């Protein structure tokens, strides 16, 4: 940073601190409201399990709301990534209430989905409104989008460090400078403490026993990382497959979640798969102490991919946690390592592979589980990152860096062998 740039940065710092405070407080408060509402609809569904038969009706409400009012924001997280890479117009504020309502309806009636997408989209929509208020240019808009993603992620999971880094890493640090990196941390902690102010509690996990690092534990962690990468690849491809299948065969968008809701209700309620509804947090918690069934992670991939592909709303990250934790837990029968350690490493490794964000996921793992298992978490996240393929859950994400170079090299070798 030159002396001239440093001077400009210092002069603009008060403005950006104000913007961070506003985005952090507003996004954090939105996430707090969302988390309280999500807990309420989840408990209502658990206490009235018959409501899942109304999932087609919930799908109709979601489908109609986006068809008539949300066509410009239906891309969700991908819209944020596209606007960052090629800024065109301010993201409509209606993205926030639409995704909030759509996610709550999805969870109320028993769809399998997450919550990160909702918080990130609310944060992004809130943040981008400051473009007009402060008359910002495209370069400054990019900073706003980073801040929105950071605030949404940090507040919904209670992981400010990971939230700040995730917002930078998911964009592959493209067009990112010291200023945007610093502000990402400021807004992440502001949003995090805002949720704390509203006295919202996040789920706590623990890894009570951590083994010493040796050849055996390294080998088993690499194996778990590889399997986590494959699970991430399957999750991403499944979501894209179902989305493409619905869009190609059902031309009227509001009908897609209706038909999807019929199939989901019959499968989940009719076949007794209710533990795959919603977030699945109780299953995740249980996986840290009791071995999961070998098929749990596969069914969560199927149900979540189908739910989101049909047009229901929510995020992918908590289902990714479910997939990773149950995969690691199931492997505890075969791998001689503590079940909580395997579940915890799988928890963040699958997420790393599906989002191409190994640094943020490593940090998140240490924020959630402590510093002690950090080396196992870092190794699992890195291996999953490289073994999960070139396509993640976000179609508009630009994948570069070490993974991009590795896959390019493989492609060149394949072409040379033709």
């Amino acid at each position: 940073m030159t002396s001239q740039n440093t001077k400009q940065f210092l002069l603009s710092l008060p403005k950006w601190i104000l913007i961070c405070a506003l985005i952090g407080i507003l996004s954090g408060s939105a996430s707090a409201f969302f988390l309280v509402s999500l807990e309420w609809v989840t408990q209502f569904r658990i206490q009235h399990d018959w409501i899942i038969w109304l999932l087609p009706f919930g799908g109709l409400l979601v489908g109609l709301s986006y068809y008539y009012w949300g066509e410009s924001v239906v891309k969700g997280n991908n819209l944020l990534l596209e606007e960052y890479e090629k800024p065109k117009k301010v993201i409509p504020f209606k993205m926030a209430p639409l995704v909030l309502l759509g996610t709550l309806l999805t969870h109320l009636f028993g769809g399998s989905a997450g919550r990160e997408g909702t918080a990130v989209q609310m944060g992004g929509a809130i943040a981008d409104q400051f473009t007009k208020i402060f008359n910002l240019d495209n370069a400054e808009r990019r900073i706003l989008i980073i801040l929105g993603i950071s605030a949404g992620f940090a507040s919904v999971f209670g992981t400010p460090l990971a939230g700040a880094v995730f917002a930078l890493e998911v964009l592959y640090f493209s067009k990112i400078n010291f200023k945007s990196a610093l502000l990402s941390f400021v807004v992440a902690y502001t949003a995090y403490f805002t949720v704390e102010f509203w006295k919202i509690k996040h789920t706590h996990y623990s890894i009570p026993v951590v083994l010493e690092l040796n050849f055996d534990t390294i080998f088993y962690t690499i194996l778990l990382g590889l399997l986590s990468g494959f699970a991430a690849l399957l999750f991403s491809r499944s979501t894209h497959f179902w989305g493409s299948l619905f869009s190609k065969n059902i031309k009227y968008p509001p009908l897609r979640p209706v038909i999807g809701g019929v199939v989901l209700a019959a499968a989940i309620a009719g076949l007794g798969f209710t533990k795959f509804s919603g977030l699945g947090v109780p299953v995740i918690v249980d996986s840290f102490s009791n071995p999961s069934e070998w098929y749990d992670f596969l069914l969560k991939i199927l149900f979540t991919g189908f739910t989101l592909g049909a047009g229901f709303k929510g995020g992918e990250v908590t289902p990714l946690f479910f997939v990773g934790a149950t995969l690691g837990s199931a492997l505890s029968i075969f791998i001689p390592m503590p079940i909580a350690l395997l579940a915890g490493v799988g928890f963040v490794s699958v997420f790393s592979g599906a989002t191409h964000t190994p640094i943020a996921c490593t940090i998140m793992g240490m924020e959630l589980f402590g510093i002690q298992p950090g080396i196992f978490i870092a190794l699992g996240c890195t291996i999953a990152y490289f073994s999960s393929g070139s396509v993640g859950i976000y179609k508009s994400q630009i994948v570069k860096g070490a993974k991009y170079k590795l896959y390019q090299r493989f492609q060149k070798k394949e072409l040379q062998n033709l």
Side-chain angles (χ1 to χ4, degrees), residues 31 34-35 38 76-78 80-81 99 103 107 113-124 148-149 151-157 166 170 235 279 304 308 313-321 351 355 364 393-394:
S31 290
F34 170 54
L35 290 171
L38 184 59
N77 287 350
N78 287 302
L80 298 179
L81 299 179
V99 73
T103 303
H107 283 273
R115 54 192 172 182
E116 131 282 338
T118 307
V120 167
Q121 289 173 51
M122 289 194 300
I149 295 173
F153 193 99
S155 58
V156 80
F157 291 122
F166 177 81
V170 77
F235 187 101
L279 296 172
T304 304
L308 298 177
K313 297 301 170 182
E316 299 94 346
V317 173
T318 304
L320 286 169
F321 293 160
F351 176 31
T355 58
M364 184 179 205
I393 55 175
Y394 308 130

Side-chain angles (χ1 to χ4, degrees), residues 273-296:
F273 290 141
T274 53
K275 72 177 181 180
F276 300 103
S277 292
L279 296 172
V281 170
V283 179
I284 298 174
V285 173
D286 183 66
S287 71
F288 278 73
S289 54
N290 299 300
S292 300
E293 300 290 346
W294 67 267
Y295 52 78
D296 280 353

Side-chain angles (χ1 to χ4, degrees), residues 121-159:
Q121 289 173 51
M122 289 194 300
I126 290 170
D128 211 15
Q129 304 314 303
F130 290 97
T131 298
K132 296 178 180 178
I133 296 173
F134 288 91
N135 193 28
L136 304 179
D137 58 26
N138 283 340
E140 292 172 314
R141 266 199 74 205
R142 290 191 176 100
I143 297 178
L144 287 182
I145 292 173
I146 291 172
L147 299 184
I149 295 173
S150 176
F153 193 99
S155 58
V156 80
F157 291 122
T159 53

Side-chain angles (χ1 to χ4, degrees), residues 326-405:
T326 54
L327 171 61
S329 180
L331 289 171
S332 66
I333 298 174
F334 309 100
I335 295 178
M337 290 175 66
I339 184 172
L341 181 58
L342 291 170
V345 172
F347 182 106
V348 286
S349 294
V350 174
F351 176 31
S352 168
T355 58
H356 311 298
T357 56
I359 300 173
C361 292
T362 298
I363 294 171
M364 184 179 205
M366 289 188 281
E367 282 188 286
L368 291 173
F369 309 126
I371 196 72
Q372 292 79 10
I375 188 65
F376 294 101
I377 291 169
L379 182 58
C381 287
T382 302
I383 297 298
Y385 163 70
F386 281 109
S387 62
S388 60
S390 58
V391 178
I393 55 175
Y394 308 130
K395 285 185 175 181
S396 298
Q397 184 181 14
I398 296 176
V399 182
K400 292 189 178 179
K403 183 174 188 174
Y404 173 79
K405 293 177 182 178

Side-chain angles (χ1 to χ4, degrees), residues 201-358:
K201 301 298 181 184
H202 297 282
T203 305
H204 291 284
Y205 308 92
S206 65
I207 300 177
V209 179
V210 179
L211 302 179
E212 291 184 2
L213 198 65
N214 55 43
F215 177 82
D216 289 341
T217 56
I218 291 174
F219 171 78
Y220 289 128
T221 304
I222 290 175
L223 176 62
L224 176 56
L226 285 170
L227 294 175
S228 296
F230 296 150
L233 185 151
L234 184 60
F235 187 101
S236 301
R237 297 300 173 94
S238 172
T239 303
H240 299 326
F241 168 78
W242 291 115
S244 177
L245 187 68
F246 273 97
S247 63
K248 286 181 179 178
N249 294 283
I250 305 173
K251 299 303 179 183
Y252 184 57
L255 194 57
R256 295 168 193 164
V258 175
I259 295 175
V262 171
V263 176
L264 284 168
I268 293 175
L271 299 177
F273 290 141
T274 53
K275 72 177 181 180
F276 300 103
S277 292
L279 296 172
V281 170
V283 179
I284 298 174
V285 173
D286 183 66
S287 71
F288 278 73
S289 54
N290 299 300
S292 300
E293 300 290 346
W294 67 267
Y295 52 78
D296 280 353
F297 80 98
L298 290 171
L299 287 179
K300 189 62 174 177
I301 289 173
L302 174 63
F303 283 119
T304 304
F306 192 88
T307 298
L308 298 177
F312 287 94
K313 297 301 170 182
E316 299 94 346
V317 173
T318 304
L320 286 169
F321 293 160
F322 184 116
V323 171
T326 54
L327 171 61
S329 180
L331 289 171
S332 66
I333 298 174
F334 309 100
I335 295 178
M337 290 175 66
I339 184 172
L341 181 58
L342 291 170
V345 172
F347 182 106
V348 286
S349 294
V350 174
F351 176 31
S352 168
T355 58
H356 311 298
T357 56

